Amino acid sequence: MDANSETEAAIARWQSSIDQARQVSSGTRSRDELSELAAALRGHIAELLPTARAEAGRLWRGGTDWYRLTARLDSIQRHAARGLGSGVLTAHVHVRLLALDCQWLLEHYAPDPAGAEPTR
């Protein structure tokens, strides 16, 4: 499998997890399923965050663009580090929010299958 195919497969895998999380509604998934889905989304976030952090590192430190991006990435990282919570509703909400964070990272910082740098 060449680099383009690997990148396309990774993006498809990330999007599949996001789509599954968006279909979560109360009572439709067990806690174990939600836990697995959250773990997959956390893994995708961990794969995408370094690229986003590198982009933040290229910005003028202290500028408003740097601050906004850094604050958003810090928020995503803190959110991904949290557990599912004790209740089923809390777990559903957490998975949906992880999906939103993952989608944002995917839209802004996913690698281009053609090899170009991701753009913001």
Side-chain angles (χ1 to χ4, degrees):
M1 187 181 266
D2 66 356
N4 288 348
S5 297
E6 288 178 19
T7 300
E8 289 172 358
I11 291 171
R13 191 175 66 250
W14 296 330
Q15 192 62 56
S16 175
S17 294
I18 292 166
D19 292 343
Q20 287 177 23
R22 284 186 172 163
Q23 294 171 3
V24 166
S25 61
S26 60
T28 61
R29 296 197 183 249
S30 71
R31 186 151 176 87
D32 289 340
E33 290 174 313
L34 290 169
S35 181
E36 288 176 20
L37 190 51
L41 291 166
R42 284 187 192 105
H44 304 327
I45 288 169
E47 290 178 76
L48 292 165
L49 265 177
T51 302
R53 293 274 185 205
E55 177 68 24
R58 288 191 279 277
L59 297 173
W60 176 61
R61 187 177 184 101
T64 56
D65 289 339
W66 172 84
Y67 178 78
R68 283 185 193 128
L69 179 55
T70 302
R72 175 76 166 131
L73 298 177
D74 289 347
S75 174
I76 290 170
Q77 190 168 7
R78 279 191 309 274
H79 188 244
R82 287 188 200 131
L84 285 181
S86 59
V88 176
L89 179 59
T90 304
H92 279 93
V93 170
H94 187 71
V95 167
R96 297 287 302 257
L97 292 174
L98 284 172
L100 289 172
D101 289 340
C102 195
Q103 184 71 55
W104 185 84
L105 286 168
L106 184 62
E107 289 173 1
H108 291 86
Y109 299 103
D112 183 1
E117 288 290 316
T119 58
R120 249 183 77 178

PDB file of all heavy atoms in Angstrom, residues 13 16 24 38 49 53 55 57 60-61 67 76 81 83 88 120:
ATOM      1  N   ARG A  13     -11.100   5.788   7.844  1.00  0.00           N
ATOM      2  CA  ARG A  13     -11.272   5.185   9.174  1.00  0.00           C
ATOM      3  C   ARG A  13     -11.714   6.248  10.181  1.00  0.00           C
ATOM      4  O   ARG A  13     -12.632   6.026  10.970  1.00  0.00           O
ATOM      5  CB  ARG A  13      -9.953   4.529   9.598  1.00  0.00           C
ATOM      6  CG  ARG A  13     -10.044   3.656  10.808  1.00  0.00           C
ATOM      7  CD  ARG A  13      -8.729   2.943  11.112  1.00  0.00           C
ATOM      8  NE  ARG A  13      -7.674   3.881  11.493  1.00  0.00           N
ATOM      9  CZ  ARG A  13      -6.602   4.189  10.753  1.00  0.00           C
ATOM     10  NH1 ARG A  13      -6.413   3.625   9.586  1.00  0.00           N
ATOM     11  NH2 ARG A  13      -5.694   5.053  11.184  1.00  0.00           N
ATOM     12  N   SER A  16     -15.296   7.243   9.448  1.00  0.00           N
ATOM     13  CA  SER A  16     -16.218   6.177   9.833  1.00  0.00           C
ATOM     14  C   SER A  16     -16.524   6.240  11.334  1.00  0.00           C
ATOM     15  O   SER A  16     -17.681   6.120  11.751  1.00  0.00           O
ATOM     16  CB  SER A  16     -15.638   4.817   9.468  1.00  0.00           C
ATOM     17  OG  SER A  16     -16.449   3.788   9.939  1.00  0.00           O
ATOM     18  N   VAL A  24     -25.067   8.035  17.415  1.00  0.00           N
ATOM     19  CA  VAL A  24     -25.355   7.636  18.789  1.00  0.00           C
ATOM     20  C   VAL A  24     -26.558   8.425  19.294  1.00  0.00           C
ATOM     21  O   VAL A  24     -26.632   9.628  19.160  1.00  0.00           O
ATOM     22  CB  VAL A  24     -24.127   7.909  19.692  1.00  0.00           C
ATOM     23  CG1 VAL A  24     -24.500   7.828  21.157  1.00  0.00           C
ATOM     24  CG2 VAL A  24     -23.011   6.945  19.378  1.00  0.00           C
ATOM     25  N   ALA A  38     -15.397   5.729  21.913  1.00  0.00           N
ATOM     26  CA  ALA A  38     -14.632   6.831  22.505  1.00  0.00           C
ATOM     27  C   ALA A  38     -13.134   6.574  22.382  1.00  0.00           C
ATOM     28  O   ALA A  38     -12.367   7.489  22.070  1.00  0.00           O
ATOM     29  CB  ALA A  38     -15.024   7.020  23.974  1.00  0.00           C
ATOM     30  N   LEU A  49      -3.601  15.587  16.429  1.00  0.00           N
ATOM     31  CA  LEU A  49      -3.128  16.710  17.247  1.00  0.00           C
ATOM     32  C   LEU A  49      -1.700  17.156  16.938  1.00  0.00           C
ATOM     33  O   LEU A  49      -1.441  18.365  16.906  1.00  0.00           O
ATOM     34  CB  LEU A  49      -3.257  16.385  18.732  1.00  0.00           C
ATOM     35  CG  LEU A  49      -4.523  16.864  19.420  1.00  0.00           C
ATOM     36  CD1 LEU A  49      -4.552  16.411  20.880  1.00  0.00           C
ATOM     37  CD2 LEU A  49      -4.721  18.352  19.328  1.00  0.00           C
ATOM     38  N   ARG A  53      -0.702  20.952  16.321  1.00  0.00           N
ATOM     39  CA  ARG A  53       0.256  21.624  17.215  1.00  0.00           C
ATOM     40  C   ARG A  53       1.418  22.209  16.413  1.00  0.00           C
ATOM     41  O   ARG A  53       1.911  23.297  16.725  1.00  0.00           O
ATOM     42  CB  ARG A  53       0.792  20.656  18.262  1.00  0.00           C
ATOM     43  CG  ARG A  53      -0.231  20.191  19.258  1.00  0.00           C
ATOM     44  CD  ARG A  53      -0.339  21.139  20.398  1.00  0.00           C
ATOM     45  NE  ARG A  53      -1.258  20.590  21.409  1.00  0.00           N
ATOM     46  CZ  ARG A  53      -1.910  21.330  22.248  1.00  0.00           C
ATOM     47  NH1 ARG A  53      -1.771  22.630  22.246  1.00  0.00           N
ATOM     48  NH2 ARG A  53      -2.725  20.792  23.127  1.00  0.00           N
ATOM     49  N   GLU A  55       1.257  23.289  13.370  1.00  0.00           N
ATOM     50  CA  GLU A  55       0.711  24.490  12.728  1.00  0.00           C
ATOM     51  C   GLU A  55       0.696  25.653  13.719  1.00  0.00           C
ATOM     52  O   GLU A  55       1.061  26.775  13.371  1.00  0.00           O
ATOM     53  CB  GLU A  55      -0.696  24.219  12.201  1.00  0.00           C
ATOM     54  CG  GLU A  55      -1.367  25.411  11.586  1.00  0.00           C
ATOM     55  CD  GLU A  55      -0.748  25.893  10.295  1.00  0.00           C
ATOM     56  OE1 GLU A  55      -0.081  25.092   9.604  1.00  0.00           O
ATOM     57  OE2 GLU A  55      -0.933  27.076   9.958  1.00  0.00           O
ATOM     58  N   GLY A  57       2.650  26.046  16.153  1.00  0.00           N
ATOM     59  CA  GLY A  57       4.044  26.418  16.366  1.00  0.00           C
ATOM     60  C   GLY A  57       4.601  27.333  15.288  1.00  0.00           C
ATOM     61  O   GLY A  57       5.583  28.042  15.509  1.00  0.00           O
ATOM     62  N   TRP A  60       2.787  33.258  15.056  1.00  0.00           N
ATOM     63  CA  TRP A  60       3.431  34.164  15.990  1.00  0.00           C
ATOM     64  C   TRP A  60       2.884  33.907  17.376  1.00  0.00           C
ATOM     65  O   TRP A  60       1.689  34.049  17.624  1.00  0.00           O
ATOM     66  CB  TRP A  60       3.197  35.614  15.573  1.00  0.00           C
ATOM     67  CG  TRP A  60       3.764  36.598  16.546  1.00  0.00           C
ATOM     68  CD1 TRP A  60       5.076  36.739  16.907  1.00  0.00           C
ATOM     69  CD2 TRP A  60       3.034  37.550  17.311  1.00  0.00           C
ATOM     70  NE1 TRP A  60       5.208  37.724  17.842  1.00  0.00           N
ATOM     71  CE2 TRP A  60       3.952  38.252  18.116  1.00  0.00           C
ATOM     72  CE3 TRP A  60       1.693  37.885  17.396  1.00  0.00           C
ATOM     73  CZ2 TRP A  60       3.581  39.248  18.981  1.00  0.00           C
ATOM     74  CZ3 TRP A  60       1.322  38.894  18.264  1.00  0.00           C
ATOM     75  CH2 TRP A  60       2.259  39.563  19.041  1.00  0.00           C
ATOM     76  N   ARG A  61       3.767  33.487  18.260  1.00  0.00           N
ATOM     77  CA  ARG A  61       3.363  33.150  19.626  1.00  0.00           C
ATOM     78  C   ARG A  61       2.896  34.413  20.342  1.00  0.00           C
ATOM     79  O   ARG A  61       3.624  35.381  20.433  1.00  0.00           O
ATOM     80  CB  ARG A  61       4.534  32.517  20.378  1.00  0.00           C
ATOM     81  CG  ARG A  61       4.141  31.994  21.714  1.00  0.00           C
ATOM     82  CD  ARG A  61       5.326  31.311  22.392  1.00  0.00           C
ATOM     83  NE  ARG A  61       4.891  30.739  23.628  1.00  0.00           N
ATOM     84  CZ  ARG A  61       4.624  29.461  23.813  1.00  0.00           C
ATOM     85  NH1 ARG A  61       4.780  28.616  22.827  1.00  0.00           N
ATOM     86  NH2 ARG A  61       4.226  29.017  24.985  1.00  0.00           N
ATOM     87  N   TYR A  67      -3.238  32.200  19.812  1.00  0.00           N
ATOM     88  CA  TYR A  67      -3.993  31.989  21.044  1.00  0.00           C
ATOM     89  C   TYR A  67      -5.256  31.176  20.791  1.00  0.00           C
ATOM     90  O   TYR A  67      -5.545  30.227  21.512  1.00  0.00           O
ATOM     91  CB  TYR A  67      -4.350  33.326  21.694  1.00  0.00           C
ATOM     92  CG  TYR A  67      -5.180  33.132  22.937  1.00  0.00           C
ATOM     93  CD1 TYR A  67      -4.590  32.743  24.137  1.00  0.00           C
ATOM     94  CD2 TYR A  67      -6.558  33.275  22.901  1.00  0.00           C
ATOM     95  CE1 TYR A  67      -5.357  32.524  25.262  1.00  0.00           C
ATOM     96  CE2 TYR A  67      -7.328  33.056  24.028  1.00  0.00           C
ATOM     97  CZ  TYR A  67      -6.720  32.683  25.202  1.00  0.00           C
ATOM     98  OH  TYR A  67      -7.475  32.444  26.318  1.00  0.00           O
ATOM     99  N   ILE A  76      -9.418  20.452  23.229  1.00  0.00           N
ATOM    100  CA  ILE A  76      -9.608  19.129  22.634  1.00  0.00           C
ATOM    101  C   ILE A  76      -8.810  18.082  23.409  1.00  0.00           C
ATOM    102  O   ILE A  76      -9.315  17.003  23.717  1.00  0.00           O
ATOM    103  CB  ILE A  76      -9.212  19.136  21.147  1.00  0.00           C
ATOM    104  CG1 ILE A  76     -10.232  19.938  20.334  1.00  0.00           C
ATOM    105  CG2 ILE A  76      -9.073  17.713  20.601  1.00  0.00           C
ATOM    106  CD1 ILE A  76      -9.817  20.202  18.895  1.00  0.00           C
ATOM    107  N   ALA A  81      -8.943  13.519  27.215  1.00  0.00           N
ATOM    108  CA  ALA A  81      -8.362  12.848  28.384  1.00  0.00           C
ATOM    109  C   ALA A  81      -9.414  12.454  29.418  1.00  0.00           C
ATOM    110  O   ALA A  81      -9.146  11.602  30.263  1.00  0.00           O
ATOM    111  CB  ALA A  81      -7.322  13.760  29.031  1.00  0.00           C
ATOM    112  N   GLY A  83     -12.760  10.756  31.079  1.00  0.00           N
ATOM    113  CA  GLY A  83     -13.467   9.486  30.947  1.00  0.00           C
ATOM    114  C   GLY A  83     -14.899   9.702  30.480  1.00  0.00           C
ATOM    115  O   GLY A  83     -15.346  10.836  30.295  1.00  0.00           O
ATOM    116  N   VAL A  88     -25.152   6.888  31.572  1.00  0.00           N
ATOM    117  CA  VAL A  88     -25.252   6.543  30.152  1.00  0.00           C
ATOM    118  C   VAL A  88     -25.392   7.806  29.303  1.00  0.00           C
ATOM    119  O   VAL A  88     -24.760   7.942  28.255  1.00  0.00           O
ATOM    120  CB  VAL A  88     -26.429   5.571  29.900  1.00  0.00           C
ATOM    121  CG1 VAL A  88     -26.589   5.285  28.419  1.00  0.00           C
ATOM    122  CG2 VAL A  88     -26.209   4.278  30.665  1.00  0.00           C
ATOM    123  N   ARG A 120      -5.306  25.310   6.979  1.00  0.00           N
ATOM    124  CA  ARG A 120      -6.307  25.746   7.946  1.00  0.00           C
ATOM    125  C   ARG A 120      -7.401  26.486   7.293  1.00  0.00           C
ATOM    126  O   ARG A 120      -7.331  27.178   6.399  1.00  0.00           O
ATOM    127  CB  ARG A 120      -5.663  26.633   8.976  1.00  0.00           C
ATOM    128  CG  ARG A 120      -5.614  25.979  10.299  1.00  0.00           C
ATOM    129  CD  ARG A 120      -5.056  26.862  11.301  1.00  0.00           C
ATOM    130  NE  ARG A 120      -6.118  27.825  11.653  1.00  0.00           N
ATOM    131  CZ  ARG A 120      -5.974  28.734  12.545  1.00  0.00           C
ATOM    132  NH1 ARG A 120      -4.878  28.861  13.160  1.00  0.00           N
ATOM    133  NH2 ARG A 120      -6.944  29.551  12.844  1.00  0.00           N
TER     134      ARG A 120
END
